[in-house]
Amino acid sequence: MAADCPEAVVPVPGVTERYFTRWYKPDVKANPNEDHCILQHSNRICVITLADAHPLLQKGKQIERVSYQISANCSRLQNKVSGKSKRGAQFLTEFAPLCRIFCSGGEEYTIYSCIRGRLIEVNESILDNPVLLQEKPFTEGYIAVVLPKFEESKSISQGLLTRKEYEEVLSKRFNSTS
């Protein structure tokens, strides 16, 4: 190849881009800008994360701590899953709280499931290192893993937005504030 003709550098897609379909739920529970992202694998497992425009991912936010203690009687950390049929997993509705995130300014954000299914796992890494939520929200900074019922796995996307639809929402949101 000639020295004056540089090769085009094509970024290699990561695991998230290759194996997961992204779905978005904007303004969860009518909270402005509190958008969630659901990464759905072809095996129907869903990973709950923060969406790109969530206030926690904006510059200047400092996360103090994450709590999976939902109420006095409910802690997502007590979720004990066993076996192929995931016995013991907590069942979640679309608006079941997964965790609460506390910021240095006294702000508090509740992250919701956004889909129905069994709670397979919570990310205990963010308890000790909450900055993962901001630095690597789609990989090591995920919130939880949820397994929808088999018969409901095809309808997961109902009420959720594709990446393109979400970008349109963000565009309208940005244009209305400027």
Side-chain angles (χ1 to χ4, degrees):
M1 181 173 282
D4 59 339
C5 186
E7 270 187 56
V9 178
V10 179
V12 177
V15 171
T16 308
E17 289 79 18
R18 276 186 280 173
Y19 300 111
F20 290 88
T21 303
R22 288 183 192 226
W23 299 103
Y24 294 89
K25 181 80 172 174
D27 304 327
V28 175
K29 291 201 77 165
N31 295 319
N33 303 334
E34 289 190 30
D35 307 342
H36 294 27
C37 178
I38 296 89
L39 303 173
Q40 185 181 28
H41 194 276
S42 58
N43 66 5
R44 82 178 203 272
I45 284 180
C46 295
V47 179
I48 313 302
T49 69
L50 298 174
D52 313 58
H54 194 284
L56 285 165
L57 298 182
Q58 306 313 307
K59 294 204 182 325
K61 295 283 183 192
Q62 186 173 355
I63 300 173
E64 286 189 346
R65 67 184 176 92
V66 177
S67 174
Y68 283 108
Q69 187 72 40
I70 302 308
S71 66
N73 299 328
C74 180
S75 171
R76 300 297 181 208
L77 292 172
Q78 300 304 313
N79 190 52
K80 300 294 179 217
V81 180
S82 66
K84 186 177 174 183
S85 61
K86 308 302 179 210
R87 279 190 268 305
Q90 296 174 10
F91 186 78
L92 304 170
T93 62
E94 299 167 43
F95 295 113
L98 291 170
C99 70
R100 289 192 170 72
I101 301 171
F102 301 90
C103 294
S104 57
E107 295 167 295
E108 179 183 327
Y109 297 94
T110 301
I111 308 303
Y112 296 92
S113 172
C114 297
I115 59 171
R116 293 168 36 95
R118 292 178 180 266
L119 179 63
I120 302 303
E121 159 187 326
V122 295
N123 184 2
E124 293 186 37
S125 300
I126 62 175
L127 295 173
D128 297 327
N129 194 3
V131 76
L132 285 173
L133 286 165
Q134 294 166 313
E135 291 177 352
K136 300 179 179 183
F138 300 116
T139 55
E140 294 157 51
Y142 71 95
I143 307 292
V145 177
V146 177
L147 180 64
K149 288 183 177 179
F150 181 76
E151 57 273 10
E152 293 179 4
S153 61
K154 296 280 189 240
S155 62
I156 282 294
S157 61
Q158 290 178 344
L160 301 176
L161 305 179
T162 64
R163 177 77 189 177
K164 187 174 191 238
E165 292 167 332
Y166 181 61
E167 286 171 353
E168 289 170 10
V169 167
L170 293 181
S171 176
K172 287 177 188 168
R173 193 184 284 168
F174 179 75
N175 289 336
S176 69
T177 59
S178 54

